[in-house]
Amino acid sequence: MKRYRLSVCKGSSCKAGGADAVYAEARDSLSGQGLVPRCELYRGGCYGFCHMGPNVVVREDTGRKRDPLSPEDYQLMGWDGEVYYSEMTPEKMRRVVSEHIAKDAPVKELFGQPDSDCGED
Ligand code: FES
C-alpha cells in the first residue's frame, strides 16, 4: 500500500487565494475517509508558483527522512510520484483525496503546469 505526504502551500498568495480552506478540507477528507494513516498532511511553501495557487504538492512517502532544511518544502523536486496541483479549491481537494490518496489514482486533469507561466498574463 502506498503512503503519501500532502502539502498545502502556506505562502501568503496561496493563503489569500483560499489555501487555508483547502487545507481544512484535506484534513477533514483524510480523517472522514480513514486515510490519516496513509497520508501525512503538512504546510510547505512558498513554492514559487504564487500566481497558480492555491498550490498543493503530493509525494509518495518512501520512508525518506524529512530534513527540516530540505528544499522539498520550497520547490518541486522531480521525484518519482511527485504531483503538483494548482488552483486548488476544497472541492478539488476532496477529489484528490478520494482518487489520488484513496485509490492511488492521481487526478491528471488537475495537474499544475509549473513551466507554463512564461509569457502568460
Ligand atoms: S504563496 Fe503559494 S506558491 Fe507562493
Side-chain angles (χ1 to χ4, degrees):
M1 179 187 281
K2 287 184 180 173
R3 298 185 76 249
Y4 295 95
R5 292 175 175 173
L6 189 158
S7 170
V8 179
C9 181
K10 64 175 164 34
S12 55
S13 297
C14 286
K15 267 185 186 258
D20 289 347
V22 170
Y23 178 84
E25 180 59 45
R27 185 191 57 214
D28 294 350
S29 288
L30 288 169
S31 63
Q33 296 186 49
L35 294 168
V36 171
R38 286 196 69 182
C39 186
E40 176 192 358
L41 178 63
Y42 66 101
R43 304 297 298 261
C46 161
Y47 289 100
F49 314 123
C50 311
H51 62 296
M52 304 277 289
N55 292 307
V56 168
V57 179
V58 179
R59 297 184 173 112
E60 285 181 28
D61 185 349
T62 56
R64 179 194 297 118
K65 287 259 184 300
R66 235 178 96 212
D67 174 354
L69 300 177
S70 167
E72 72 184 276
D73 283 348
Y74 306 99
Q75 64 189 56
L76 298 180
M77 304 299 287
W79 289 334
D80 281 351
E82 177 183 80
V83 171
Y84 159 57
Y85 293 108
S86 66
E87 300 179 330
M88 289 296 280
T89 63
E91 291 72 26
K92 291 176 180 174
M93 189 73 253
R94 204 173 308 135
R95 213 178 139 195
V96 166
V97 170
S98 300
E99 298 179 28
H100 191 155
I101 306 301
K103 299 181 185 153
D104 301 323
V107 188
K108 292 210 170 62
E109 68 206 69
L110 300 181
F111 283 9
Q113 304 272 327
D115 303 323
S116 71
D117 55 333
C118 300
E120 281 184 4
D121 299 323

